[in-house]
């Protein structure tokens, strides 16, 4: 797994990368899932199920929420947007052909610590002095 966007630049750039990862609720759900699972490899179908259950953008059809449409939308977004982005940041290694995701909990922990550190700096009243 590569940390193409993580290891370059200043601490601010690294913190921004961490916030970018956590900006989207689907990516946050993926991060939550991979941090809680004990297996080193998960399937895209597992992630789709987990994220779709938590998605707030369920699609209404004739006044009814259609979970199949919402699940297809989540599956498409994970495949084409979120998993490749998490792969670019080095948190997972996504194999779209096999539809498997190798988990790097250490990289995820690093990003979460950067985000926590940036928030702590904002909350520190002495940081501006």
């Amino acid at each position: 797994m590569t940390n193409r966007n993580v290891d370059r630049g200043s601490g601010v750039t690294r913190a921004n990368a961490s916030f970018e990862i956590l900006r989207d609720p689907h990516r946050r759900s993926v991060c939550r899932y991979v941090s809680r699972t004990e297996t080193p490899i998960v399937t895209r179908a597992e992630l789709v199920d987990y994220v779709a259950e938590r998605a707030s953008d369920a699609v209404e059809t004739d006044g009814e929420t259609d979970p199949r449409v919402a699940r297809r939308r989540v599956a498409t977004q994970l495949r084409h947007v979120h998993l490749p982005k998490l792969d670019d940041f080095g948190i997972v290694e996504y194999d779209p052909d096999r539809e498997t995701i190798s988990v790097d909990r250490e990289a995820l922990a690093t990003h979460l610590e950067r985000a926590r550190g940036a928030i702590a700096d904002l909350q520190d009243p002495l940081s501006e002095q």
Side-chain angles (χ1 to χ4, degrees), residues 59-66 69:
V59 177
E60 282 195 27
T61 308
D62 298 327
E64 302 267 336
T65 301
D66 189 343
V69 174

mmCIF file of all heavy atoms in Angstrom, residues 59-66 69:
data_model
loop_
_atom_site.group_PDB
_atom_site.id
_atom_site.type_symbol
_atom_site.label_atom_id
_atom_site.label_comp_id
_atom_site.label_asym_id
_atom_site.label_seq_id
_atom_site.Cartn_x
_atom_site.Cartn_y
_atom_site.Cartn_z
ATOM 1 N N VAL A 59 -33.169 6.341 -1.473
ATOM 2 C CA VAL A 59 -33.904 6.884 -2.614
ATOM 3 C C VAL A 59 -35.399 6.633 -2.437
ATOM 4 O O VAL A 59 -35.818 5.528 -2.118
ATOM 5 C CB VAL A 59 -33.409 6.211 -3.915
ATOM 6 C CG1 VAL A 59 -34.198 6.698 -5.102
ATOM 7 C CG2 VAL A 59 -31.926 6.464 -4.094
ATOM 8 N N GLU A 60 -36.171 7.675 -2.631
ATOM 9 C CA GLU A 60 -37.623 7.530 -2.559
ATOM 10 C C GLU A 60 -38.201 7.258 -3.932
ATOM 11 O O GLU A 60 -37.859 7.906 -4.902
ATOM 12 C CB GLU A 60 -38.266 8.793 -1.974
ATOM 13 C CG GLU A 60 -38.135 8.874 -0.487
ATOM 14 C CD GLU A 60 -39.070 9.909 0.104
ATOM 15 O OE1 GLU A 60 -40.124 10.179 -0.493
ATOM 16 O OE2 GLU A 60 -38.717 10.432 1.159
ATOM 17 N N THR A 61 -39.075 6.254 -4.003
ATOM 18 C CA THR A 61 -39.789 5.919 -5.222
ATOM 19 C C THR A 61 -41.264 5.890 -4.875
ATOM 20 O O THR A 61 -41.700 5.082 -4.064
ATOM 21 C CB THR A 61 -39.347 4.526 -5.741
ATOM 22 O OG1 THR A 61 -37.934 4.516 -5.821
ATOM 23 C CG2 THR A 61 -39.948 4.221 -7.081
ATOM 24 N N ASP A 62 -42.029 6.787 -5.467
ATOM 25 C CA ASP A 62 -43.463 6.887 -5.193
ATOM 26 C C ASP A 62 -43.742 7.026 -3.700
ATOM 27 O O ASP A 62 -44.630 6.379 -3.154
ATOM 28 C CB ASP A 62 -44.217 5.662 -5.754
ATOM 29 C CG ASP A 62 -44.098 5.558 -7.250
ATOM 30 O OD1 ASP A 62 -44.030 6.618 -7.905
ATOM 31 O OD2 ASP A 62 -44.070 4.432 -7.774
ATOM 32 N N GLY A 63 -42.940 7.856 -3.026
ATOM 33 C CA GLY A 63 -43.149 8.108 -1.608
ATOM 34 C C GLY A 63 -42.593 7.025 -0.693
ATOM 35 O O GLY A 63 -42.677 7.120 0.507
ATOM 36 N N GLU A 64 -42.044 5.975 -1.249
ATOM 37 C CA GLU A 64 -41.473 4.875 -0.470
ATOM 38 C C GLU A 64 -39.957 4.874 -0.634
ATOM 39 O O GLU A 64 -39.442 5.191 -1.699
ATOM 40 C CB GLU A 64 -42.020 3.533 -0.970
ATOM 41 C CG GLU A 64 -43.519 3.419 -0.918
ATOM 42 C CD GLU A 64 -43.988 2.790 0.375
ATOM 43 O OE1 GLU A 64 -43.212 2.061 0.999
ATOM 44 O OE2 GLU A 64 -45.134 3.065 0.754
ATOM 45 N N THR A 65 -39.247 4.504 0.389
ATOM 46 C CA THR A 65 -37.799 4.386 0.293
ATOM 47 C C THR A 65 -37.468 3.037 -0.327
ATOM 48 O O THR A 65 -37.950 2.010 0.120
ATOM 49 C CB THR A 65 -37.155 4.505 1.681
ATOM 50 O OG1 THR A 65 -37.499 5.764 2.228
ATOM 51 C CG2 THR A 65 -35.658 4.383 1.606
ATOM 52 N N ASP A 66 -36.652 3.060 -1.374
ATOM 53 C CA ASP A 66 -36.276 1.832 -2.065
ATOM 54 C C ASP A 66 -34.845 1.472 -1.692
ATOM 55 O O ASP A 66 -33.891 2.047 -2.224
ATOM 56 C CB ASP A 66 -36.412 2.012 -3.577
ATOM 57 C CG ASP A 66 -36.238 0.715 -4.338
ATOM 58 O OD1 ASP A 66 -35.693 -0.253 -3.757
ATOM 59 O OD2 ASP A 66 -36.633 0.666 -5.509
ATOM 60 N N VAL A 69 -32.333 0.480 -4.619
ATOM 61 C CA VAL A 69 -31.750 1.588 -5.383
ATOM 62 C C VAL A 69 -30.635 2.239 -4.578
ATOM 63 O O VAL A 69 -29.565 2.538 -5.109
ATOM 64 C CB VAL A 69 -32.832 2.617 -5.778
ATOM 65 C CG1 VAL A 69 -32.208 3.836 -6.431
ATOM 66 C CG2 VAL A 69 -33.870 1.976 -6.690
#
